[in-house]
Every structure is written in structure tokens, then in C-alpha cells.
């Protein structure tokens, strides 16, 4: 792929205006980010889903700002031109707008990300306003919001009643008025997403909410078939890495056990005269 120019919020707005779909994936480490940068994924999210996909927690709540920053730094190194979104972990922005500025400021300054993402609707509008005033661009996230799993009673589609749908549409509006640059809508019926997108003047990204958006997001470990502890209905698997890696590791184990690995193809040679000299020296 030809080298691409840095993806900025202006690039994303232009894509939205031209009707060109925006691609977005999660990413947590350097090697995967290298591939996403080469493929040309426009937005990379270093999601707090790393709590599950990388650290094996049951949910996202144990993820700290330091963990998020460390992974976002690794991804930025490999993906200099992607629009990089740093995810704000649980309780790093809910306590007060001041705390949010402190933590989001660290995320921006220490990782070089292009914006931060936070979960929540209208109730987050004041915090969004404070962040934007402090020069920090924000991506909103409504619908299924994993940090409120306890309150939502599990990983459940949102906005399935008329009242709940209207609340989501109002949340989207309130966040946009507060100054978000992008909006992520997760796990709501496509008809609700369509209403949100139709009213939005900023790029709206869908995660499991259908096609009526300016772009799509999926969790990279899900689409690669690398993480299968829990696979939501909206995930399409594009590979089965679990099986591929399992097969490769089993083959390695077998070859070590049988001595098939390593043969001379996989070792460093030594000139014959040096070998003989070494043996002579060892005799002394
Ligand atoms: O952490 C994450 O990957 C996310 C997505 C579920 C949107 O926030």
C-alpha cells in the first residue's frame, strides 16, 4: 500500500461527507498495530476490552489508566498515521470533570493519541464540555456500555423499547452539542442507529448496530477467532486463529519431543578447523 497521509478528524469528516465508510478496529499491541496500519484501517481503538482479550479479566473494570496508556503507546509506535483513540478506563472520568481532564490529558500527552473515548450519554455532557475546553477531543460511546455492565444487568442490547430508543437519540444529541468529535453506538437496533445517524453532523460508528452509520467497529480478537470466551451475536469471524495457533503449537511440541526440531537447518555452523581447534584446546 502507498504511504498514506495522517488520518485526522478532518479526513474522517470528509469521508463522512463523501459517503465513504470508515473502518475501525480495536488493537492492543505493536505487532497487530503494524498490520492494521499496513492494511489501512482508519481508526484504531485501544479499548479497555484489553482487560478481557489480553489480561483475562471477566470485564473491563480492573483496567487502569497506566495499563491503557502503556498499550496505547505501543500501538501508536506501529501505527503513526491511523486516527488513534485512547479508551478512558472505569472511574478515570466519572468522578469529576477535573479528574477526567487530568487522566485524559495524560492519555493524550503520554501516548500521542488523537482523541479519548468515554462511555455514557447526557450525564457525561458536562465532562465532555470540560475536556473539549481543555483541548482534548472526545469520542462518545452509547448503547451497550461495558463499564456499566452491573447497572445494565449484563451484556444486553439497548434501546429496544420506544422510551429507551428516544433516550439514546437524546443522549447522542446532548453529546454532540457538548462537543464530541465522533460517536460510537454499540448494540442497539438498526432503526435506532439510523435515527441517530440521520441527526448527526459528526461521524457515527456502529458496533453491532447495523449498517446505517458512517463506519464500523469490531474487536480484532473476535473477528480473528482469537478470543472465544464470549462472542457477541454481531461478530463476524474472518479467521480462526485459535485453531491455527493451536495446530502450530501442537506441531512444535511434537517435533521437540521427537527430536525433529531442531535439525541442521536451524542451527549456526562452525568452520571445521575451528571445531578441531576447540577440541584440541579442551584436551589440555
Ligand atoms: O474497549 C473496547 O474495546 C470498547 C469497545 C467495546 C467499543 O470500548
Amino acid at each position: 500500500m502507498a504511504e498514506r497521509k495522517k488520518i485526522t478528524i478532518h479526513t474522517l469528516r470528509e469521508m463522512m461527507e463523501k459517503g465513504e465508510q470508515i473502518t475501525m478496529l480495536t488493537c492492543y499491541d505493536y505487532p497487530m498495530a503494524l498490520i492494521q496500519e499496513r492494511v489501512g484501517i482508519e481508526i484504531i481503538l485501544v479499548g479497555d476490552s484489553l482487560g478481557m482479550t489480553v489480561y483475562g479479566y471477566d470485564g473491563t473494570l480492573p483496567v487502569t489508566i497506566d495499563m491503557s496508556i502503556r498499550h496505547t503507546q505501543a500501538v501508536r509506535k506501529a501505527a503513526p498515521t491511523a486516527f488513534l483513540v485512547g479508551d478512558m478506563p472505569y472511574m478515570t472520568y466519572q468522578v469529576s470533570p477535573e479528574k477526567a481532564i487530568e487522566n485524559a490529558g495524560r492519555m493524550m500527552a503520554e501516548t500521542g493519541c488523537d482523541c479519548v473515548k468515554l462511555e455514557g450519554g447526557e450525564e457525561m455532557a458536562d465532562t465532555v464540555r470540560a475536556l473539549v475546553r481543555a483541548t482534548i477531543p472526545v469520542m462518545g460511546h452509547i448503547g451497550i456500555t461495558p463499564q456499566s455492565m452491573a447497572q445494565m444487568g449484563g451484556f444486553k442490547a439497548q434501546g429496544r423499547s420506544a422510551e429507551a430508543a428516544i433516550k439514546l437519540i437524546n443522549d447522542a444529541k446532548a453529546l454532540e452539542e457538548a462537543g464530541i468529535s465522533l460517536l460510537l453506538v454499540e448494540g442497539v437496533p438498526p432503526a435506532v442507529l439510523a435515527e441517530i445517524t440521520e441527526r448527526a453532523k459528526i461521524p457515527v460508528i456502529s458496533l453491532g448496530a447495523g449498517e446505517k452509520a458512517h463506519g464500523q467497529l469490531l474487536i480484532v480478537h473476535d473477528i480473528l477467532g482469537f478470543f472465544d470466551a464470549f462472542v457477541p451475536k454481531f461478530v463476524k469471524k474472518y479467521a480462526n486463529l485459535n485453531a491455527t495457533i493451536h495446530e502450530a503449537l501442537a506441531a512444535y511440541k511434537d517435533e521437540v519431543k521427537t527430536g525433529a526440531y531442531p535439525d541442521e537447518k536451524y542451527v549456526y555452523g562452525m568452520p571445521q578447523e575451528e571445531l578441531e581447534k576447540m577440541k584440541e584446546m579442551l584436551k589440555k
Side-chain angles (χ1 to χ4, degrees), residues 26 28 45 47-49 87 117 141 146 184 186 207 217 219:
T26 62
Y28 316 102
L45 166 67
D48 61 359
S49 48
D87 209 7
K117 177 173 85 55
H141 177 176
L184 174 66
E186 176 175 353
L207 169 55
L217 164 66
I219 307 284

Side-chain angles (χ1 to χ4, degrees), residues 11-39:
T11 325
L12 300 173
R13 287 223 181 95
E14 270 168 36
M15 290 176 73
M16 172 185 86
E17 277 152 21
K18 286 191 209 146
E20 186 186 338
Q21 281 289 307
I22 298 166
T23 55
M24 177 169 178
L25 280 175
T26 62
C27 187
Y28 316 102
D29 58 37
Y30 182 87
M32 180 63 74
L34 273 182
I35 301 172
Q36 294 197 19
E37 173 84 8
R38 282 186 203 131
V39 166

Side-chain angles (χ1 to χ4, degrees), residues 42-65:
E42 282 100 8
I43 309 181
I44 297 180
L45 166 67
V46 186
D48 61 359
S49 48
L50 71 86
M52 291 165 292
T53 55
V54 177
Y55 288 93
Y57 295 126
D58 285 341
T60 58
L61 304 200
V63 175
T64 66
I65 188 79

